């Protein structure tokens, strides 16, 4: 249960274009601007790190059908005309 001291009130400068967008989304969803901003903060907090290179490391390490990585890249890019 949320208590009063668990809530932060703040003033945020948001460009008019974004305010219009928020108003449109609020009308479409039947939510308030405040509710949309709260959802955006929750979504942002839950978002996975953007270190996609680190997350992808090792995905193909057990593949034995590719061979040398550089040779594989050259084969799949043959149609692009890179040399």
């Amino acid at each position: 249960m949320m208590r009063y001291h668990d809530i932060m009130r703040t003033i945020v400068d948001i460009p008019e274009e974004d305010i219009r967008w928020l108003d449109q989304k609020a009308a479409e969803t039947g939510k308030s601007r405040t509710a949309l901003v709260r959802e955006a903060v929750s979504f942002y907090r839950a978002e996975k790190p953007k270190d996609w290179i680190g997350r992808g490391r090792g995905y193909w390490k057990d593949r034995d059908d590719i061979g040398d990585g550089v040779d594989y890249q050259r084969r799949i890019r043959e149609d692009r005309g890179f040399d």
Side-chain angles (χ1 to χ4, degrees):
M1 177 156 133
M2 192 177 298
R3 298 176 306 261
Y4 181 75
H5 64 275
D6 293 334
I7 298 172
M8 178 186 83
R9 293 188 181 268
T10 188
I11 296 174
V12 180
D13 293 326
I14 298 176
E16 282 187 43
E17 181 179 329
D18 291 339
I19 292 171
R20 284 192 297 273
W21 182 86
L22 275 171
D23 287 341
Q24 180 182 350
K25 285 293 175 191
E28 289 172 7
T29 61
K31 298 177 182 178
S32 66
R33 283 183 192 166
T34 302
L36 292 174
V37 172
R38 282 187 196 130
E39 287 177 10
V41 170
S42 293
F43 178 78
Y44 187 75
R45 286 187 64 210
E47 193 174 273
K48 301 273 189 241
K50 296 185 186 220
D51 179 19
W52 58 272
I53 292 175
R55 288 192 329 261
R57 183 182 306 127
Y59 278 174
W60 290 17
K61 70 180 179 184
D62 296 325
R63 301 243 337 236
D64 56 8
D65 60 322
I66 294 172
D68 179 72
V70 175
D71 289 338
Y72 173 73
Q73 289 177 35
R74 288 186 179 133
R75 285 194 311 272
I76 66 169
R77 295 178 180 161
E78 282 177 350
D79 63 329
R80 300 180 193 174
F82 295 121
D83 269 333

